[in-house]
Amino acid sequence: NSGVYHIVSSERSMEPPQQRKSRKSIADGMGLDELRSWAATMMQAYGADEGKAEEATDEPSMNDLLRAARDGHTRSTKVKWTDRLRENDPELKRLDLSASLIKELTEFQKADFLHALPQNEHVRIVHLSGMQLNEHMTEEEIVSMCESVGKLRGLEELFVFRGASRLLNEDMVARICNEATGLRVLMIWGYGRLGKYPNLAGSLRNHESLERITITLPKNTPYAELDIYGMALASMQQL
């Protein structure tokens, strides 16, 4: 592996003369046709442009092929968590659901993820960010993902950053909490109109397992908007 990465990352002018001379033999030893085919397969499987492994020349350089293979491997590494989720990997205990992660999925992988999520039994912690989520998911997919988070049977800790998401509002957090009966820790950021959404206060008040709640508030939030939440939290014996 160290040799492969050296070839990929080195400038030609910095390669020792003997290494430049031996590049063709290295390629032959690794199987050029096999490497080209593998690179194309990897790129196609993970959503890259299919033609990039076969450039205009009949004989793509070793660097081109290795770069394509490296990019395909990088993308595959980022999406392996979907396989672990589907296979109910007991070591997968935390999910960070954000736009940076979702954008790496092909449409097939996204559908696979949404199907596997509510059936998982081992995820304990979820970090959910609404920032730029609508750029990579439809409204139906966002709602489905949020509802599935609530259905995670092992969910104990939920951290939600709303961002600018219209769908990831107070009512959605309430729906997640209603489903997540084993939830112990809830932390939410970016929710500045709590008084307009009493459903969340009701969900918290009726929750039987929540022990810790953190709610960040914008400056100058009217105290009157917090009345129903103060009453809800005061009635939670396990808090």
Side-chain angles (χ1 to χ4, degrees), residues 3-202:
V4 170
Y5 280 103
H6 181 73
I7 294 172
V8 170
S9 61
S10 296
E11 294 293 338
R12 185 178 179 86
S13 60
M14 298 179 65
E15 292 176 354
Q18 64 271 23
Q19 184 170 332
R20 292 202 299 269
K21 183 180 290 187
S22 64
R23 290 177 70 203
K24 184 63 170 66
S25 62
I26 293 174
D28 290 340
M30 295 181 66
L32 189 59
D33 291 337
E34 182 179 357
L35 181 56
R36 181 191 293 113
S37 175
W38 180 76
T41 300
M42 290 288 289
M43 294 173 73
Q44 181 178 4
Y46 294 103
D49 296 334
E50 297 177 23
K52 286 187 179 178
E54 301 264 2
E55 299 291 348
T57 61
D58 293 333
E59 198 65 37
S61 70
M62 186 64 177
N63 274 354
D64 290 337
L65 289 172
L66 289 174
R67 189 175 297 109
R70 178 198 61 192
D71 292 344
H73 174 71
T74 300
R75 294 178 68 92
S76 69
T77 301
K78 289 182 178 179
V79 299
K80 281 182 179 177
W81 62 271
T82 57
D83 296 333
R84 297 178 64 192
L85 186 69
R86 183 181 59 253
E87 295 165 4
N88 234 335
D89 182 355
E91 297 300 317
L92 182 63
K93 299 187 182 298
R94 169 175 166 167
L95 282 179
D96 294 317
L97 303 178
S98 63
S100 61
L101 188 70
I102 299 298
K103 72 180 182 180
E104 298 294 338
L105 304 180
T106 65
E107 289 303 313
F108 174 80
Q109 290 164 342
K110 196 188 302 180
D112 187 35
F113 153 65
L114 291 173
H115 175 73
L117 182 59
Q119 303 177 51
N120 187 274
E121 300 177 352
H122 300 291
V123 171
R124 298 285 183 266
I125 304 170
V126 171
H127 287 235
L128 179 58
S129 172
M131 179 132 348
Q132 299 179 331
L133 203 57
N134 62 327
E135 296 180 12
H136 307 286
M137 302 183 80
T138 66
E139 290 191 356
E140 292 78 11
E141 289 171 339
I142 294 174
V143 171
S144 175
M145 180 178 70
C146 292
E147 291 178 343
S148 295
V149 168
K151 294 176 182 177
L152 288 167
R153 280 165 275 187
L155 185 64
E156 296 179 355
E157 301 182 19
L158 176 63
F159 303 81
V160 185
F161 176 69
R162 182 175 184 175
S165 175
R166 178 177 61 84
L167 295 174
L168 197 57
N169 55 27
E170 288 85 348
D171 281 342
M172 179 59 73
V173 176
R175 290 164 62 180
I176 296 175
C177 290
N178 288 338
E179 290 284 347
T181 56
L183 191 65
R184 297 187 302 104
V185 177
L186 174 66
M187 303 182 72
I188 60 176
W189 291 265
Y191 293 86
R193 301 183 62 196
L194 293 173
K196 304 293 184 182
Y197 296 89
N199 288 346
L200 179 55

